[in-house]
Each structure stands twice: as C-alpha cells, then as structure tokens.
Amino acid sequence: MQLGTRWLAHTPTPQQLDGAVTDAVAEVERELSALKQDTSNWYWTLTYLENRPVVQLDDGTTIRVLHNGNISVEVEE
C-alpha cells in the first residue's frame, strides 16, 4: 500500500484523482450535506492498493477503483 494524502471533506480533491473517483467523492459529499451531524472536520484519506486509488472518509465510507475499472462505494453502518 502506498500513502497518498489527506484532505478536508467539502474541499477540492487532489489533482491526481481521475474524474470517476472525483465524481464519487462529490456524490458522497452531497449525501453528507443532508446529515444533521457536523462533518466540517471530517477528512478523506487517499492511499493506493495495487496502484489503484482507495479513498476513505473518517466515517469509514470507502471508494475504490476495482480491477475492472468500476468504482465501488462502501458505506460503514
């Protein structure tokens, strides 16, 4: 695993992320805006597994690029 970076939720994503991952992050953040919980201090963490990005939010929500190129969004319950 290779460490990427961390960034504050609701701020621009790192430039190295491709459009599909950026779109998935934006969708999750739109869903966060509906929560009553304050998410202004939550961070995303970008790492790489087998040279594919894995992006995880402080609440455990995880966005992965699968082997076939599809995007997977897993939400912790």
Side-chain angles (χ1 to χ4, degrees), residues 1-4 16-17 46-54:
M1 184 177 284
Q2 173 188 357
L3 185 60
Q16 70 260 38
L17 285 177
L46 168 64
T47 56
Y48 291 87
L49 184 60
E50 298 177 353
N51 295 318
R52 289 187 310 277
V54 177

